[in-house]
Amino acid sequence: MFPSLAAVYRAQLSRARVARIPLLFVATFQSVGIMVLMRGVVDGGSEARAVVAGSSVLVVAFVALNLLAQYFGQLRAGGGLDHYATLPVPPAAVVLGAAGAYASFTVPGTIVTAVAGSVLFGLPLTHLWVLVAVIPLSGAALSGLGAALGLLAPRQELATLLGQLGMSAALLLGVLPADRLPAPIGWARDLLPSTYGVEALSRSFDAHPDWVAVALDLAVCAVVGVLSLAAATWAYRRAAVR
């Protein structure tokens, strides 16, 4: 299992590095641009923390959810799953390797966005090390969701649409401060796995962060990541045998 997983991870990381770097720049500039725009209406406090945390996790959502949904949708529509089915590679290794590569690919953009936002809004950089946990755990949750959407969508175009809708939800519900949202929209926000990565990063900007709450938020990301990656593996098996 692990040698197969490592081989798929390296292959996907190499492929993503060549094909996705321009899109990573787009994701990063998009998040930085949102923060610059919000700087005109947000002075500081909890709203600034929400904007910076939401914009940072948005980079993960753009790549791990949106692009991975498109990738698996294309793979399914173009017969790429048949190629993988001929290889002696377990289905879980294919899904975990691709998801891990896309999630890893978000690291530089997320760090750049978090540092730029902290400087822009005057937030402390002291606890940004929490990104070491936020990126892989929120990346696992979002990439598993993206892979499942791409593999379960009946058509490639629908997989692309679902990935973009998911990324848009992460943008609107992650960047806007939670206390500004109507109650029904707030409930929808609670259902998004990216919300808990946003909350964990936002809490870390406090002078004395509530680390128990941060750990609980990250634990939710971890649980959703396990469940979504298991669902994506099941969807891969289902699509590969058709």
Side-chain angles (χ1 to χ4, degrees):
M1 174 64 182
F2 288 107
S4 299
L5 174 60
V8 173
Y9 176 80
R10 286 195 299 269
Q12 290 291 337
L13 194 62
S14 176
R15 179 184 180 280
R17 187 165 50 240
V18 173
R20 304 302 183 189
I21 281 182
L23 292 174
L24 178 61
F25 276 111
V26 172
T28 305
F29 283 131
Q30 171 185 262
S31 291
V32 172
I34 289 170
M35 292 190 300
V36 171
L37 290 174
M38 294 297 286
R39 185 67 182 87
V41 295
V42 171
D43 293 328
S46 61
E47 294 182 346
R49 294 194 291 270
V51 169
V52 175
S55 299
S56 301
V57 176
L58 179 62
V59 179
V60 182
F62 185 92
V63 176
L65 195 162
N66 183 28
L67 297 186
L68 198 56
Q70 293 182 37
Y71 170 70
F72 273 109
Q74 293 169 357
L75 200 66
R76 185 183 179 197
L81 292 183
D82 297 334
H83 168 70
Y84 277 111
T86 63
L87 300 176
V89 178
V94 176
V95 172
L96 292 176
Y102 274 71
S104 301
F105 196 56
T106 67
V107 172
T110 306
I111 293 174
V112 167
T113 302
V115 171
S118 299
V119 173
L120 185 64
F121 286 92
L123 299 176
L125 299 169
T126 310
H127 303 303
L128 275 186
W129 56 263
V130 79
L131 286 172
V132 172
V134 169
I135 294 174
L137 293 177
S138 59
L142 292 170
S143 60
L145 181 60
L149 290 175
L151 289 164
L152 291 174
R155 296 176 56 186
Q156 178 183 348
E157 296 81 3
L158 191 54
T160 300
L161 175 64
L162 292 173
Q164 292 180 346
L165 286 175
M167 194 271 291
S168 299
L171 165 62
L172 295 174
L173 302 180
V175 173
L176 296 177
D179 56 2
R180 295 286 189 90
L181 299 174
I185 304 299
W187 300 335
R189 181 179 184 271
D190 292 341
L191 296 176
L192 274 178
S194 59
T195 296
Y196 300 93
V198 172
E199 289 293 329
L201 182 55
S202 179
R203 293 180 200 279
S204 73
F205 289 124
D206 291 336
H208 301 287
D210 183 348
W211 293 116
V212 174
V214 171
L216 288 175
D217 288 327
L218 294 175
V220 173
C221 286
V223 170
V224 174
V226 170
L227 294 177
S228 64
L229 288 169
T233 301
W234 170 80
Y236 174 87
R237 288 196 183 96
R238 177 176 175 268
V241 298
R242 286 192 168 184

